[in-house]
């Protein structure tokens, strides 16, 4: 019973520590001359015919966007590899950005939550803080988690 309460307490504490997700602003409309912002970033492009392609934007030319396609929903129309997407066919483009700050924060929060869960399991299996009934099993649970 105390293990269940400890696990719930650790879970609730982890939810309180995690910051709320960042809210995206309204979509930004860019002119062709401003499209150089996406070069070097991962983009997802909705093409005519309900085809979606994803990949890294490598260059912006006068009449096309050059993308190294890594994912596609129609391999015959838009195969993987370097592809030029004509300016006339490009309507919707979504740029994906990954910041180092959130990866580091997520790793730290996950580590703290895992350590808290391990300590809760150790205490629950051991029968409490002052009880020494199952020290081997409790230590195994702590190390495993």
């Amino acid at each position: 019973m105390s293990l269940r309460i400890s696990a719930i307490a650790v879970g609730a504490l982890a939810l309180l520590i995690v910051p709320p997700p960042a809210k995206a602003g309204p979509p930004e409309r860019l002119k062709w001359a401003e499209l150089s912002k996406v070069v070097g970033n991962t983009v997802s492009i909705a093409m005519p015919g309900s085809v979606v392609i994803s990949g890294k934007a490598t260059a912006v030319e006068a009449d096309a966007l050059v993308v190294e396609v890594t994912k596609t929903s129609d391999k015959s129309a838009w195969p993987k590899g370097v592809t030029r997407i004509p300016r006339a066919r490009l309507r919707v483009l979504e740029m994906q950005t990954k910041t180092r700050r959130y990866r580091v924060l997520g790793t730290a929060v996950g580590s703290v939550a895992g350590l808290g869960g391990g300590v809760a399991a150790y205490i629950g299996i051991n029968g409490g803080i002052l009880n020494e009934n199952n020290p081997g099993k409790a230590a195994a649970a702590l190390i495993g988690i």
Side-chain angles (χ1 to χ4, degrees), residues 73-114:
S73 61
D74 185 359
K75 292 181 182 180
S76 61
W78 298 97
K80 291 183 179 181
V82 178
T83 303
R84 293 179 77 244
I85 300 170
R87 182 176 180 173
R89 297 186 88 178
L90 186 63
R91 296 281 179 243
V92 178
L93 176 137
E94 180 181 310
M95 182 173 69
Q96 301 166 357
T97 57
K98 298 177 183 174
T99 60
R100 183 178 175 145
R101 173 180 57 190
Y102 290 114
R103 284 184 273 164
V104 170
L105 180 65
T107 301
V109 168
S111 298
V112 169

Side-chain angles (χ1 to χ4, degrees), residues 18-24 102:
V18 176
K23 295 187 179 177
Y102 290 114

Side-chain angles (χ1 to χ4, degrees), residues 11-123:
L13 181 62
L15 288 175
L16 291 174
I17 291 173
V18 176
K23 295 187 179 177
E28 186 176 347
R29 296 183 64 93
L30 298 175
K31 295 182 180 180
W32 193 261
E34 299 170 334
L35 203 57
S36 61
K37 288 181 181 180
V38 302
V39 173
N41 290 310
T42 301
V43 294
S44 292
I45 303 170
M47 301 300 293
S50 301
V51 177
V52 178
I53 61 173
S54 297
K56 187 174 185 178
T58 56
V60 177
E61 298 175 353
D63 62 341
L65 176 66
V66 181
V67 177
E68 186 175 340
V69 177
T70 55
K71 293 181 185 176
T72 178
S73 61
D74 185 359
K75 292 181 182 180
S76 61
W78 298 97
K80 291 183 179 181
V82 178
T83 303
R84 293 179 77 244
I85 300 170
R87 182 176 180 173
R89 297 186 88 178
L90 186 63
R91 296 281 179 243
V92 178
L93 176 137
E94 180 181 310
M95 182 173 69
Q96 301 166 357
T97 57
K98 298 177 183 174
T99 60
R100 183 178 175 145
R101 173 180 57 190
Y102 290 114
R103 284 184 273 164
V104 170
L105 180 65
T107 301
V109 168
S111 298
V112 169
L115 180 63
V119 169
Y122 176 81
I123 291 171

Side-chain angles (χ1 to χ4, degrees), residues 111-144:
S111 298
V112 169
L115 180 63
V119 169
Y122 176 81
I123 291 171
I125 291 172
N126 204 18
I129 295 175
L130 301 175
N131 193 349
E132 295 185 19
N133 290 339
N134 303 313
K137 292 178 185 177
L142 177 63
I143 292 169

